[in-house]
């Protein structure tokens, strides 16, 4: 079993839809959870950062962590064509080792 | 602030030739990383450096070497390129758990 599993999609939704992106993980040592957005032919950019279980909201984006189920989600409300990108989850156990473990990414297309 | 710069943007390289991919950051981050990104395989860590003067191997280090002479620069060298090293290479840096990525170098080895 891979440490981080993420459905690669592709996922295609109409503009204005609510999007749900998910990752599962197997390593219970992971404490820090991130979502990155990567536009075509660009580097990944940090979108959301969370620590511990619960929800974190930033504008149209909500990150949710459920450590008991080893499951994280990213919700996008009122999706826009500019949200079309690949979304990667990433996680870390923290400490002096800053290495991240990434999901393979989900390709999202929001159609106008 | 430029953040992380990478050079070149893209390169076509003959198999067997050597090449150094350059990465420079201006955020004074202690840690730096090199990843390759391939379709269906995601981001894979090649080498990393937690601080200047130290380096470590990642998931796919074979065929690559790195050095970290100072805080800002973290070059990646391919001593003798092979076609399987065709990929998009990303450099990243961090001061904690979040990493910041450069724009990438698209390398084709023929």
């Amino acid at each position: 079993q891979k440490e981080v599993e993420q459905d690669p999609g592709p996922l295609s939704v109409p503009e204005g839809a609510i999007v749900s992106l998910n990752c599962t993980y197997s390593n219970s040592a992971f404490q820090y959870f991130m979502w990155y957005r990567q536009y075509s032919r660009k580097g990944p950019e940090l979108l959301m950062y969370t620590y511990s279980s619960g929800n974190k909201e930033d504008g149209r984006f909500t990150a949710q962590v459920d450590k008991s189920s080893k499951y994280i989600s990213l919700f996008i409300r009122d999706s826009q064509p500019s949200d079309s990108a690949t979304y990667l989850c990433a996680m870390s156990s923290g400490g002096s080792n800053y290495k991240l473990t990434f999901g393979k990414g989900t390709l999202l297309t929001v159609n106008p | 602030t430029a953040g992380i710069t990478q050079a070149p943007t893209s390169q076509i390289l003959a198999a067997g030739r050597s090449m150094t991919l350059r990465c420079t950051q201006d955020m004074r981050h202690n840690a730096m990383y090199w990843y390759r990104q391939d379709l269906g395989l995601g981001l894979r860590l090649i080498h990393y450096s937690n601080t200047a003067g130290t380096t470590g191997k990642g998931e796919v280090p074979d065929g690559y070497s790195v050095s970290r002479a100072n805080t800002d620069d973290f070059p990646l060298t391919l001593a003798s390129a092979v076609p399987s090293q065709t990929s998009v290479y990303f450099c990243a840096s961090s001061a904690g758990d979040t990493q910041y990525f450069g724009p990438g170098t698209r390398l084709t080895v023929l």
Side-chain angles (χ1 to χ4, degrees), chain B residues 5-6 23 28 35 37 43 45 47 77 88 90 96:
Chain B
T5 57
Q6 291 185 238
C23 174
R28 308 301 293 172
Y35 293 88
Q37 188 175 41
L43 283 164
L45 183 65
H47 285 288
T77 297
V88 182
F90 289 102

Side-chain angles (χ1 to χ4, degrees), chain A residues 26-64:
Chain A
S26 58
N27 188 346
S28 57
F30 288 145
Q31 299 184 61
Y32 303 92
F33 305 90
M34 285 137 270
W35 286 95
Y36 284 81
R37 178 174 61 195
Q38 185 176 20
Y39 291 116
S40 180
R41 303 181 76 88
K42 301 290 187 182
E45 58 176 331
L46 181 66
L47 191 61
M48 297 285 282
Y49 170 83
T50 56
Y51 168 71
S52 79
S53 288
N55 293 353
K56 180 177 181 179
E57 188 174 320
D58 184 359
R60 296 183 294 109
F61 299 91
T62 299
Q64 187 176 80

Side-chain angles (χ1 to χ4, degrees), chain A:
Chain A
Q1 179 186 13
K2 293 192 181 296
E3 275 195 300
V4 179
E5 300 273 8
Q6 182 176 10
D7 187 337
L11 183 60
S12 181
V13 301
E15 184 174 354
I18 296 174
V19 176
S20 173
L21 303 166
N22 312 293
C23 288
T24 59
Y25 63 95
S26 58
N27 188 346
S28 57
F30 288 145
Q31 299 184 61
Y32 303 92
F33 305 90
M34 285 137 270
W35 286 95
Y36 284 81
R37 178 174 61 195
Q38 185 176 20
Y39 291 116
S40 180
R41 303 181 76 88
K42 301 290 187 182
E45 58 176 331
L46 181 66
L47 191 61
M48 297 285 282
Y49 170 83
T50 56
Y51 168 71
S52 79
S53 288
N55 293 353
K56 180 177 181 179
E57 188 174 320
D58 184 359
R60 296 183 294 109
F61 299 91
T62 299
Q64 187 176 80
V65 175
D66 182 348
K67 284 188 174 180
S68 62
S69 300
K70 296 189 179 66
Y71 188 89
I72 69 170
S73 299
L74 177 70
F75 298 97
I76 307 174
R77 292 186 302 279
D78 188 23
S79 57
Q80 302 295 309
S82 58
D83 295 328
S84 298
T86 296
Y87 290 81
L88 302 102
C89 62
M91 42 201 82
S92 164
S93 56
S96 60
N97 182 344
Y98 297 141
K99 286 189 284 185
L100 294 180
T101 301
F102 285 88
K104 292 184 179 179
T106 300
L107 176 61
L108 170 68
T109 300
V110 180
N111 301 298

Side-chain angles (χ1 to χ4, degrees), chain B residues 49-63:
Chain B
S49 169
N50 284 336
T51 189
T54 69
T55 62
K57 294 182 179 180
E59 182 184 354
V60 289
D62 294 344

Side-chain angles (χ1 to χ4, degrees), chain B residues 38-74:
Chain B
D38 303 285
L39 194 64
L41 298 176
L43 283 164
R44 292 183 291 169
L45 183 65
I46 304 171
H47 285 288
Y48 66 94
S49 169
N50 284 336
T51 189
T54 69
T55 62
K57 294 182 179 180
E59 182 184 354
V60 289
D62 294 344
Y64 306 95
S65 64
V66 291
S67 61
R68 187 86 183 277
N70 57 60
T71 297
D72 298 342
D73 301 298
F74 190 42

